[in-house]
Structure formats: structure tokens, C-alpha cells
Amino acid sequence: MSGGTISNDFYVFDPENLDGDGIIRCPYENNLSLNDTSTMIMFGGIIEGHINIALGAQMDLYGYGFQYTPGERQENGRLLGYWQNDQPVNLYFVNNSFDRVILHEIPEPATLVLLGLGGLLIRKRK
């Protein structure tokens, strides 16, 4: 998923629910459920609701500045940060689903610029 929004405004016949990949959008209890051994790679977009990831499934998230805060119930929590394109991340995980998330920290753009300038300065010295 690189963009778009998953919300409660969809139907049972949603193409994501019919493609057989184990990723299901659920209209009531969770907005997104990863079942069985499904894998979701996300580097953009919005999920307006709960995310439930079953044992054996996983979600890979690409961005930077990630901060996870447990909810009132320890098995739930919210992840904040930024996607690669500097858009904010705000995801809510339920049922210990965050244990099955792999965060891929990408340096923020300002860090990349500073590294590039440093490399140019070192090259000029030689």
C-alpha cells in the first residue's frame, strides 16, 4: 500500500476481500485484518480504524520517527511517525498485533541532505 484510505465505507464485495491473498477489510470490528500467512508492505496511506494481524501474518512499514504508545489495554496501541513521503503515520493496532509489525526506519530527508553535503565536502578536500 503506497497511498489511499481504508475506512468503514466499503462493501462485502470489495476487491481486496475477493482476491484470495488473506488480507481482509472488515466493516465492523477491524478496518484491516491480515490472516493466515499474509504479508502487507505499507509505505503510505491511511487506515481509519483498527488493524488486526493474526499469528503467522506480518506487516512491513517503511518510514521514520516511529513512536509506539500502548493503549489502556496493553494488547492495543497506537503507532505515530512519518511515511517516506513525509505524510504522518497514525495506526491503531489491536490484539497484540504490533508484535507482528516490522519497522523499516528510513532516514528523514534532512538527514539525507546533510549526509550528501558531507560527502561532497570530503570529496572536495581530496
Side-chain angles (χ1 to χ4, degrees), residues 70-83:
E72 290 180 20
R73 296 174 57 192
Q74 287 299 314
E75 65 269 11
N76 300 340
R78 183 168 304 282
L79 179 69
L80 301 174
Y82 296 93
W83 297 120

Side-chain angles (χ1 to χ4, degrees), residues 29-119:
E29 61 188 51
N30 303 306
N31 282 76
L32 181 71
S33 289
L34 276 64
N35 301 317
D36 303 322
T37 58
S38 60
T39 299
M40 181 172 188
I41 298 170
M42 204 172 165
F43 50 93
I46 299 168
I47 298 176
E48 297 175 341
H50 302 152
I51 299 169
N52 186 45
I53 305 172
L55 288 173
Q58 86 178 34
M59 178 181 272
D60 291 276
L61 302 177
Y62 290 82
Y64 63 93
F66 292 125
Q67 296 178 337
Y68 181 76
T69 305
E72 290 180 20
R73 296 174 57 192
Q74 287 299 314
E75 65 269 11
N76 300 340
R78 183 168 304 282
L79 179 69
L80 301 174
Y82 296 93
W83 297 120
Q84 296 177 162
N85 63 0
D86 299 325
Q87 296 299 311
V89 171
N90 185 354
L91 302 174
Y92 189 73
F93 295 91
V94 296
N95 302 324
N96 293 314
S97 291
F98 189 70
D99 294 344
R100 292 171 283 289
V101 172
I102 298 172
L103 300 176
H104 300 272
E105 286 275 339
I106 302 202
E108 59 184 299
T111 303
L112 291 176
V113 169
L114 289 174
L115 286 171
L117 289 174

